[in-house]
Amino acid sequence: MIKRSICATKSIKKAVLLALIAIGMTACTTQEMPPTHNYGVVTSGDFEFMKHGVTTYSWHPESEQVYLSQKYDETVVTDLVRDAIEDQLATKGYQLNQNGAVGDVVVGFGLAEESELNDDSIFDAIKLSTGVPFYDGDGKVAEKGSLYIAFFVPNSAVVQWQALAQSGIQPDLEPSESKQRITGFVDMLFRRMPER
């Protein structure tokens, strides 16, 4: 009886060991897919300076730097981004100064398509990098688009807050989908901005 029990225990141990080896071998031979990311964001600075007396904004004179290929209508894309920023700032309670008057904060933005302005060039200019690659539905590296937004105080070249958001370009989106996507990015970037 004891001999049978010992043999049964050895058989169970062998079966468990073989199962573990099989699982281990399967794990070793599984091909790893590249990670997929919807977007990458990096920021520098904070919105603390906006908590005290900031109610208006104006556009930086060098805002709207655009590096897009001829596949895109620069005016349409720039208008989408500017409108999204203005809408979010209005939602937070900030007013755009009209007629060229300088606001309590000065805002600038830029757009780039990777083939026109690569990550190294962006880093050289603003010292921000997401370091995130993007992939299409087939697992191939996709071209990325970049949105840069910066906030300054008037008469200063020092950036108080800046953000770089990058994502894989989706060139076949309907205009309403592009607008929704850009608005989503701007909303996410301004989430920590104080309200008036």
Side-chain angles (χ1 to χ4, degrees):
M1 185 82 150
I2 294 174
K3 193 173 183 179
R4 279 188 186 167
S5 177
I6 292 172
C7 288
T9 304
K10 285 183 179 180
S11 295
I12 291 171
K13 286 182 180 179
K14 275 186 182 177
V16 170
L17 183 61
L18 288 172
L20 289 173
I21 290 172
I23 291 170
M25 294 297 285
T26 303
C28 291
T29 59
T30 303
Q31 185 176 7
E32 191 173 320
M33 292 297 290
T36 57
H37 307 280
N38 291 334
Y39 62 88
V41 172
V42 63
T43 62
S44 173
D46 58 45
F47 290 116
E48 284 296 314
F49 75 101
M50 293 181 71
K51 290 183 176 179
H52 310 289
V54 175
T55 58
T56 63
Y57 72 96
S58 57
W59 290 109
H60 192 283
E62 295 177 23
S63 185
E64 302 181 17
Q65 297 293 316
V66 180
Y67 300 90
L68 297 176
S69 67
Q70 293 181 352
K71 295 184 288 189
Y72 301 97
D73 184 330
E74 287 186 15
T75 303
V76 170
V77 178
T78 302
D79 288 349
L80 281 173
V81 174
R82 186 183 335 94
D83 290 349
I85 292 171
E86 287 180 354
D87 290 347
Q88 287 300 317
L89 288 170
T91 298
K92 296 281 188 178
Y94 299 94
Q95 295 180 344
L96 175 62
N97 270 1
Q98 301 295 330
N99 303 322
V102 177
D104 300 323
V105 68
V106 179
V107 182
F109 73 89
L111 301 164
E113 181 181 0
E114 188 175 18
S115 59
E116 299 296 314
L117 190 68
N118 64 30
D119 283 354
D120 292 338
S121 298
I122 292 172
F123 183 80
D124 289 344
I126 62 173
K127 303 301 181 233
L128 294 178
S129 174
T130 65
V132 179
F134 299 97
Y135 300 91
D136 63 16
D138 300 326
K140 296 179 181 175
V141 175
E143 181 168 38
K144 67 175 85 170
S146 300
L147 168 61
Y148 174 70
I149 303 175
F151 282 54
F152 305 83
V153 292
N155 304 314
S156 174
V158 177
V159 178
Q160 298 295 314
W161 177 88
Q162 62 181 337
L164 175 66
Q166 294 182 313
S167 182
I169 292 177
Q170 297 177 351
D172 299 328
L173 293 180
E174 295 293 324
S176 61
E177 293 172 313
S178 293
K179 180 178 181 177
Q180 183 178 8
R181 193 163 189 241
I182 290 169
T183 299
F185 279 121
V186 174
D187 179 44
M188 175 185 55
L189 294 173
F190 290 3
R191 191 166 291 143
R192 296 186 187 277
M193 184 184 293
E195 294 186 13
R196 294 287 108 219

